[in-house]
Amino acid sequence: MLLASVPKIELAVVDQLALIAVLVAAVGFGIFTRRQSRGAFEFFSAGRQLTLPYFVASLVTTWYGGVLGIGESVSYYGLGTWLLLGVPYYVFAAWYAVTFAGRVRDATAVSIPERIRDRFGPVSGRVAGALIFALAVPAAHVLMLGVLVQLLAAVPLAAGCLLALVVGGLLVMQHGLLADVRFGLIAFVLMYTGFGVMVAKNLGVLNQFGTLEPNLRSWTGAQQPLAILSFFILGAWTLVDPGFHQRVASARDTVTSVRGVWIAVGCWLVFDVLTISTGLIALISLRDRPSDPLAIFPALAQQSLPPGLRGVFLAGLVATLLSALVGYLLAAGSAFARDVRGVYAEDESPNAIRVGMVLAGIAAFALAMAVQSVVSLWYGWAGAVVGALLIPAGLAYLRPTATRSDHRTALGMGLAFCAAAAWLIYGVRTNNPLLEVEWLGQRFSLGTLAPGFLISGIVLGWRGRRPTGTNG
């Protein structure tokens, strides 16, 4: 399906060259690199030698890869997007820097399931690996890139999503994280340059902020306190995000990991200002708002930017989304190979990870076609996984001597995910996809994270025998 209300974006030669340069850089970094990734340790973690610039750029682009989703969110919540989808992540990232970052870098485990396996046992590790695979499947990023390709080339959405997966695969299949973080530096520069240009070119439009609907001008997005709390809780995703964890674990040393997370928080704050301002400018100035809110940023570029600047902006979108897509593709592939299948041999793991990435790509394509909303993918599907993982991951890193049996920990994660997923399916079947409930006189979206977290807490709250794993 083509987005009927948004015309194909017209590209001058200079715009086409900017986009081609991004794609060539992606494929080039994927195929050619001075340092070879010989074995799983290099392939997945770049030898745990990421310096501060590479670490910050890669963390910022990967964790902010849902850039078109911010456009969708601004369409719903306006200025309130900052409070609902910005502030919670600053808070949890800051907490991560204080409590988790040093422990994650100092641990021998390079993934969350590996740490859970070491603390509680092999069954828990495999269940956690399956959940991390489900969380890391980059469906939202595939969907956003597919929408961009659809607008740029007037092709069906499915074709755009497939093209995104092919380019992403070429970028990361051969050299893993090494190629991803090097491309991440380009994406980092382009994302700030592109949105900086857009805001500077259209800054005067914000003088008409008062013409927007009242709910879009509200700091809360016209959401009631319980709804705001529900959004805030979703920020806990930061604590168990596989791409976030992978980069922190791959930093050169503890100082780099902690300092880098703090710098990244500042970078996200600045970029939120740029993206939310761009979204508000689009809502004010677009003559015809696109039927799909994922398209408001490209539509604004078509309407307000001249050739050249339009190419810079679109190149920034593509690079940011592509960097995030390959980061999560790599995390999903590793979870499947190392944590689910248990392939840890240095010479066998890279190929097993590649198989996992192919499977993650297939799953991402299927999810993107089935759930064509980034906000729904974040809030529903991801929340179900995060709620199941939070307590085991927290215990594994923050309370290393916590006594929970392997099977009880696995049961808690499994039941939590199944209950949250069942709630999500029920919402879809009853025409309540946002999972809205009414409580204390307020109607709000409960989401899937809180129910899963509650079930996990009940199961793991019972006293169990000492873990079967080590305490190292």
Side-chain angles (χ1 to χ4, degrees):
M1 145 181 105
L2 184 66
L3 299 172
S5 65
V6 183
K8 176 179 177 293
I9 295 178
E10 299 299 329
L11 298 176
V13 173
V14 66
D15 300 326
Q16 296 173 15
L17 291 175
L19 290 168
I20 290 171
V22 169
L23 298 180
V24 169
V27 175
F29 277 118
I31 297 176
F32 305 105
T33 182
R34 288 176 297 175
R35 179 176 163 191
Q36 299 298 309
S37 50
R38 306 182 183 91
F41 187 62
E42 289 281 345
F43 190 85
F44 178 68
S45 67
R48 305 188 86 170
Q49 290 296 314
L50 294 186
T51 57
L52 189 62
Y54 280 117
F55 173 70
V56 171
S58 179
L59 185 61
V60 168
T61 56
T62 300
W63 194 221
Y64 211 112
V67 62
L68 292 191
I70 296 301
E72 182 182 7
S73 300
V74 173
S75 298
Y76 299 149
Y77 309 114
L79 186 61
T81 299
W82 182 74
L83 177 64
L84 301 175
L85 292 171
V87 173
Y89 296 90
Y90 313 151
V91 172
F92 279 103
W95 187 33
Y96 193 104
V98 173
T99 58
F100 278 84
R103 290 178 171 90
V104 168
R105 179 55 186 86
D106 289 342
T108 56
V110 293
S111 72
I112 293 172
E114 191 176 347
R115 178 73 172 192
I116 289 175
R117 183 199 68 200
D118 290 345
R119 291 303 185 198
F120 303 114
V123 179
S124 299
R126 288 184 186 275
V127 173
L131 291 174
I132 286 292
F133 177 84
L135 182 60
V137 165
H141 305 92
V142 169
L143 175 61
M144 288 182 281
L145 275 167
V147 168
L148 267 182
V149 174
Q150 188 181 20
L151 295 173
L152 294 172
V155 298
L157 179 61
C161 291
L162 287 173
L163 178 61
L165 282 167
V166 169
V167 174
L170 290 174
L171 169 55
V172 79
M173 276 289 180
Q174 186 169 347
H175 299 295
L177 188 62
L178 284 171
D180 181 21
V181 298
R182 287 173 175 165
F183 181 73
L185 275 176
I186 295 177
F188 182 87
V189 172
L190 284 174
M191 64 191 273
Y192 283 91
T193 302
F195 277 91
V197 164
M198 178 67 83
V199 172
K201 178 72 169 56
N202 297 281
L203 190 59
V205 173
L206 291 176
N207 292 330
Q208 304 171 48
F209 178 71
T211 63
L212 288 172
E213 298 93 325
N215 64 302
L216 298 178
R217 300 198 306 268
S218 167
W219 278 98
T220 64
Q223 301 299 300
Q224 294 180 309
L226 289 177
I228 295 171
L229 177 62
S230 181
F231 272 98
F232 193 91
I233 290 172
L234 189 60
W237 183 349
T238 308
L239 306 179
V240 295
D241 181 77
F244 202 108
H245 184 283
Q246 178 189 15
R247 280 148 182 76
V248 173
S250 302
R252 171 171 286 181
D253 50 42
T254 302
V255 173
T256 299
S257 66
V258 175
R259 183 179 298 167
V261 173
W262 280 112
I263 294 173
V265 171
C267 291
W268 291 318
L269 173 59
V270 172
F271 199 60
D272 273 336
V273 171
L274 294 175
T275 55
I276 294 172
S277 296
T278 299
L280 294 173
I281 289 167
L283 296 183
I284 293 168
S285 63
L286 282 176
R287 290 184 288 270
D288 294 304
R289 292 185 193 176
S291 58
D292 188 338
L294 284 174
I296 69 167
F297 287 162
L300 183 62
Q302 167 76 355
Q303 177 179 296
S304 68
L305 292 180
L309 293 182
R310 185 182 304 158
V312 169
F313 179 78
L314 294 172
L317 287 181
V318 170
T320 305
L321 291 168
L322 190 58
S323 178
L325 184 152
V326 299
Y328 285 106
L329 204 62
L330 178 60
S334 176
F336 175 81
R338 294 167 59 82
D339 302 313
V340 176
R341 291 185 56 198
V343 179
Y344 293 103
E346 276 291 298
D347 57 340
E348 296 179 12
S349 284
N351 284 335
I353 292 173
R354 292 182 181 105
V355 171
M357 285 193 284
V358 171
L359 295 177
I362 294 171
F365 178 80
L367 270 174
M369 293 296 97
V371 187
Q372 295 184 20
S373 166
V374 172
V375 172
S376 295
L377 287 167
W378 284 342
Y379 201 66
W381 177 257
V385 179
V386 173
L389 284 169
L390 275 174
I391 294 178
L395 290 174
Y397 280 105
L398 304 182
R399 295 190 60 191
T401 59
T403 56
R404 301 294 186 281
S405 73
D406 183 20
H407 287 87
R408 184 178 296 281
T409 304
L411 178 65
M413 289 187 288
L415 287 178
F417 175 75
C418 289
W423 169 234
L424 176 61
I425 294 169
Y426 173 78
V428 172
R429 290 189 172 180
T430 57
N431 200 29
N432 182 20
L434 296 179
L435 304 174
E436 292 185 338
V437 297
E438 191 163 342
W439 189 46
L440 298 178
Q442 299 180 36
R443 187 163 183 82
F444 65 98
S445 177
L446 178 63
T448 53
L449 192 155
F453 183 81
L454 178 62
I455 297 296
S456 174
I458 291 172
V459 176
L460 296 178
W462 296 342
R463 293 187 62 83
R465 62 180 183 274
R466 296 189 66 80
T468 58
T470 68
N471 288 325

